[in-house]
């Protein structure tokens, strides 16, 4: 009897990112069946994993949680109705497995008696053959083989994962994520950087309507929006009000930069983080009832007391209501002046956006080079965190070419390197000879045609960098740039 597991769950079980498993599939070291991994294949491909010890798995998860600063370390339990439904389902599985075992037991008893019966009148040769078969059966039934012990440990861990989280596949985009704790489908999608359509996020507008293709969901929040009977019959649900009981497939649109409307909201200042006299970050909190929809790499217009400015968002769309904007102090920028001098926690900032199309190509599994010139680190940071939450890139290299403000979030970049084996950070000191520096950077990539490059900086820096990268073999269509006023 085969037991198949989805790739994302295998990744959780073995404590490896999905791209590592995808590489194993590509190289033929891990076999899949319809995108699923068979239990025996899992045990064969990962003989070194200690299935009865999840310490390593917890350690990696904790490092990632801390490095991304995006998840609360304390994971809440699933909603109680969802928990009951999941336990019921497990109970049904257990009952079915138990009934099957009883049946197999009966079959074995019958077989044992039948062999004994046949032995009585058998020739010496047949007697020996039957005796050997019977001895083999009894011996194997009496002792548990080591593979069965391992399989039991894997299944036990998988069961715990299934109680704590459910796997979601979005069609037709193919995005996958887990719904942990008591998150709704919408909350989990946003937390994982998947930009599904939504409006109010509290059951009033109907913008988050989607169709359940397979699996089971439970309503965990009441909603005022009324679904028509025909919609209910067709499996339509509100993503902001439902949570999955088991692994589900949902049909829903994933928004691109052009699909997200410009929104206006008033946000509260959480804190002002001054890195140095030239650079600061503004942390704001969107209201619970009106979060800002945006994609990594986009910009917003901020205003307070009659002064305003447009800046790159530096946080990930997966960070719930928190928005970080990094602002360099430039002459003539009144909003930046206010940020460095008078802005306080709890002040209200008017936010308008998002703007811009400097966003990830989520369909590209190619390795990525991020090129940040000075304060161009802000949109690059947002893109990197978005790419991490989506777990899509084969590898990510960050080249940060500092200006006078320096590598003001150096520690964060180093934490990413520690937490991820496919992330590489290369800081570059300020230079007067940008040409020489760019020549050296592209020399490290003899296979640039395989890469995507995302770059943010001044128009002149970008033009210079683009020329170097294209000359060194990058495909023109794989160059993505955000020209900033820095
Ligand atoms: S987002 Fe408005 S009803 Fe779900």
């Amino acid at each position: 009897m085969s037991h198949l597991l989805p790739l994302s769950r295998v990744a959780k079980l073995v404590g490896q990112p999905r791209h590592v498993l995808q590489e194993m599939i590509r190289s033929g070291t891990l076999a899949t069946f319809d995108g699923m991994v068979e239990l025996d294949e899992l045990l064969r491909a990962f003989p070194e994993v200690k299935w009865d010890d999840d310490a390593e798995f917890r350690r990696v998860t904790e490092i990632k949680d801390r490095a991304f600063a995006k998840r609360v370390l304390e994971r809440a339990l699933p909603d109680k109705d969802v928990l009951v439904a999941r336990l019921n389902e497990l109970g049904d599985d257990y009952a079915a497995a138990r009934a099957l075992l009883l049946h197999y037991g009966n079959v074995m008893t019958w077989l044992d008696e039948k062999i004994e019966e046949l032995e009585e009148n058998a020739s010496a040769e047949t007697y020996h053959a039957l005796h050997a078969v019977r001895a083999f059966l009894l011996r194997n039934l009496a002792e548990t083989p080591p593979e069965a012990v391992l399989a039991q440990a894997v299944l036990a861990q998988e069961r715990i994962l299934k109680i704590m989280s459910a796997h979601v596949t979005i069609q037709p985009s193919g995005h996958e994520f887990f719904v942990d704790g008591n998150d709704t489908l919408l909350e989990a999608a946003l937390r994982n950087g998947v930009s599904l359509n939504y409006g109010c996020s509290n059951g009033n507008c109907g913008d988050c309507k989607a169709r359940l293709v397979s699996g089971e969901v439970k309503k965990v929040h009441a909603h005022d929006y009324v679904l028509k009977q025909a919609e209910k019959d067709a499996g339509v649900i509100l993503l902001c009000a439902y949570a999955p009981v088991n692994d589900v497939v949902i049909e829903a649109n994933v928004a691109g930069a052009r699909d997200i409307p410009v929104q206006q909201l008033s946000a509260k200042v959480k804190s002002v983080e001054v890195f140095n006299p030239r650079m600061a970050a503004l942390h704001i909190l969107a209201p619970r009832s009106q979060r800002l929809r945006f994609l990594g790499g986009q910009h917003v217009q901020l205003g307070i007391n009659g002064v305003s400015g447009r800046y790159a968002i530096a946080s990930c769309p997966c960070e719930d209501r928190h928005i970080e904007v990094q602002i360099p102090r430039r002459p003539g920028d009144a909003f930046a002046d206010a940020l460095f001098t008078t802005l306080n926690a709890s002040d209200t900032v008017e936010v308008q956006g998002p703007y811009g199309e400097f966003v990830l190509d989520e369909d590209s599994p190619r390795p990525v080079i991020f090129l940040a010139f000075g304060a161009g680190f802000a949109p690059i940071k947002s893109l990197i965190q978005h790419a991490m939450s989506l777990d899509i890139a084969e590898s990510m290299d960050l080249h940060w070419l500092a200006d006078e403000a320096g590598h003001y979030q150096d520690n964060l970049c180093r934490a990413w390197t520690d937490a991820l084996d496919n992330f590489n950070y290369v800081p570059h000191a300020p230079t007067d000879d940008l040409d020489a520096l760019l020549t050296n950077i592209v020399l490290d990539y003899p296979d640039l045609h395989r890469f995507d490059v995302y770059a943010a900086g001044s128009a002149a820096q970008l033009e210079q960098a683009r020329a170097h990268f294209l000359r060194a073999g990058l495909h023109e269509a794989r160059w993505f740039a955000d020209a900033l006023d820095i």
Side-chain angles (χ1 to χ4, degrees):
M1 218 181 359
S2 71
H3 183 83
L4 296 166
L5 300 110
L7 202 59
S8 302
R9 187 157 272 127
V10 171
K12 274 204 168 196
L13 282 168
V14 301
Q16 292 286 347
R18 269 173 62 89
H19 68 86
V20 170
L21 303 187
Q22 274 155 349
E23 186 45 46
M24 290 177 72
I25 293 168
R26 267 197 295 276
S27 65
T29 50
L30 178 67
T32 54
F33 178 75
D34 270 353
M36 311 275 268
V37 180
E38 219 272 320
L39 182 58
D40 288 346
E41 176 63 4
L42 172 63
L43 294 172
R44 187 201 62 73
F46 296 95
E48 74 288 357
V49 174
K50 291 192 177 65
W51 296 106
D52 50 355
D53 173 13
D54 68 347
E56 186 62 10
F57 169 57
R58 274 187 280 115
R59 190 185 70 82
V60 172
T61 308
E62 279 171 18
I63 290 173
K64 286 183 183 170
D65 287 347
R66 260 186 255 127
F68 304 167
K70 66 169 188 168
R71 294 173 199 274
V72 238
L73 284 173
E74 276 180 17
R75 283 282 183 218
L77 275 173
D79 172 89
K80 65 179 182 336
D81 289 342
V82 171
L83 187 58
V84 168
R86 285 183 189 161
L87 289 172
N88 273 339
E89 193 171 286
L90 273 183
D92 289 347
D93 277 3
Y94 173 76
R98 185 105 187 121
L100 209 58
L101 271 181
L102 285 174
H103 172 65
Y104 289 161
N106 289 338
V107 171
M108 287 312 300
T109 308
W110 179 87
L111 198 60
D112 185 36
E113 287 168 3
K114 205 70 192 161
I115 292 174
E116 201 176 1
E117 227 176 276
L118 289 170
E119 277 176 352
E120 281 174 18
N121 303 315
S123 64
E125 200 178 336
T126 311
Y127 176 87
H128 280 302
L130 287 170
H131 193 73
V133 169
R134 190 161 173 243
F136 171 84
L137 286 175
L138 292 176
R139 198 173 53 248
N140 277 281
L141 286 174
E143 64 192 32
T144 314
E147 313 85 66
V149 175
L150 273 183
Q152 186 186 338
V154 179
L155 287 172
Q157 285 215 23
E158 192 215 3
R159 295 293 139 177
I160 291 170
L161 284 181
K162 278 194 156 184
I163 289 176
M164 298 308 289
S165 63
H167 181 254
V168 180
T169 307
I170 301 293
Q171 282 182 351
S173 72
H175 282 90
E176 293 178 45
F177 56 89
F178 284 94
V179 180
D180 293 313
N182 62 359
D183 277 353
T184 61
L185 281 155
L186 179 64
E187 286 165 335
L190 299 179
R191 216 185 281 288
N192 286 277
V194 181
S195 178
L196 297 177
N197 271 338
Y198 75 101
C200 64
S201 74
N202 55 17
N204 285 312
C205 67
D207 287 357
C208 65
K209 268 192 264 185
R211 193 172 73 83
L212 178 68
V213 178
S214 67
E216 196 189 330
V217 294
K218 268 219 173 295
K219 183 154 74 171
V220 290
H221 296 312
H223 55 83
D224 291 339
Y225 184 87
V226 182
L227 288 167
K228 297 188 187 77
Q229 191 53 47
E231 289 178 317
K232 287 185 192 164
D233 294 344
V236 173
I237 56 168
L238 294 179
L239 296 172
C240 68
Y242 283 77
V245 169
N246 45 25
D247 294 353
V248 295
V249 177
I250 305 276
E251 191 179 86
N253 282 334
V254 176
R258 292 184 188 169
D259 305 320
I260 300 180
V262 171
Q263 305 136 68
Q264 278 183 315
L265 52 99
S266 302
K268 284 267 178 257
V269 173
K270 250 171 72 179
S271 64
V272 176
E273 186 181 6
V274 178
F275 299 115
N276 58 47
R278 292 175 181 275
M279 179 60 68
L282 173 63
H283 297 270
I284 51 179
L285 200 61
R288 217 173 279 281
S289 57
Q290 200 191 357
R291 297 167 199 207
L292 181 75
R293 287 184 66 196
F294 68 96
L295 296 175
Q298 290 192 294
H299 295 222
V300 278
Q301 179 86 16
L302 301 178
I304 188 166
N305 301 332
V307 295
S308 66
R310 188 178 289 198
Y311 307 100
I313 301 172
S315 48
C316 176
C318 55
E319 285 182 57
D320 202 11
R321 296 155 57 208
H322 168 243
I323 304 162
E324 178 190 349
V325 182
Q326 291 184 350
I327 301 177
R329 192 162 197 185
R330 293 169 307 201
D333 184 340
F335 188 92
D337 281 343
L339 174 74
F340 277 85
T341 54
T342 57
L343 218 56
N344 287 312
S346 296
D347 283 350
T348 299
V349 175
E350 300 306 322
V351 182
Q352 187 172 301
Y355 299 104
E357 295 181 19
F358 181 59
V359 297
L360 283 176
D361 177 359
E362 294 181 25
D363 294 330
S364 171
R366 298 154 71 92
V368 178
I369 298 169
F370 293 104
L371 209 55
F373 291 93
F377 177 69
I380 293 291
K381 177 183 171 185
S382 175
L383 282 183
I384 289 173
Q385 293 182 115
H386 197 182
M388 284 174 177
S389 66
L390 289 167
D391 196 9
I392 45 173
E394 179 186 317
S395 69
M396 293 183 276
D397 288 0
L398 164 63
H399 291 268
W400 188 356
L401 293 73
D403 59 14
E404 309 77 28
H407 300 105
Y408 53 87
Q409 289 211 291
D410 203 47
N411 286 345
L412 175 71
C413 301
R414 293 186 193 283
W416 287 337
T417 310
D418 289 345
L420 299 165
D421 49 14
N422 68 333
F423 186 85
N424 184 32
Y425 168 49
V426 190
H428 300 276
T431 178
D432 291 332
D433 191 352
L434 184 56
D435 264 323
L437 178 56
L438 289 166
T439 303
N440 274 335
I441 292 176
V442 295
L443 271 180
D444 281 342
Y445 300 95
D447 52 350
L448 254 186
H449 61 278
R450 292 180 56 238
F451 283 77
D452 289 346
V453 177
Y454 293 86
S458 71
Q461 289 165 329
L462 293 176
E463 198 41 53
Q464 214 169 332
R466 181 175 179 274
H468 275 271
F469 275 82
L470 294 196
R471 245 192 336 264
L474 179 76
H475 291 307
E476 199 169 354
R478 307 319 299 171
W479 168 263
F480 304 91
D482 191 21
L484 304 169
D485 189 12
I486 52 178

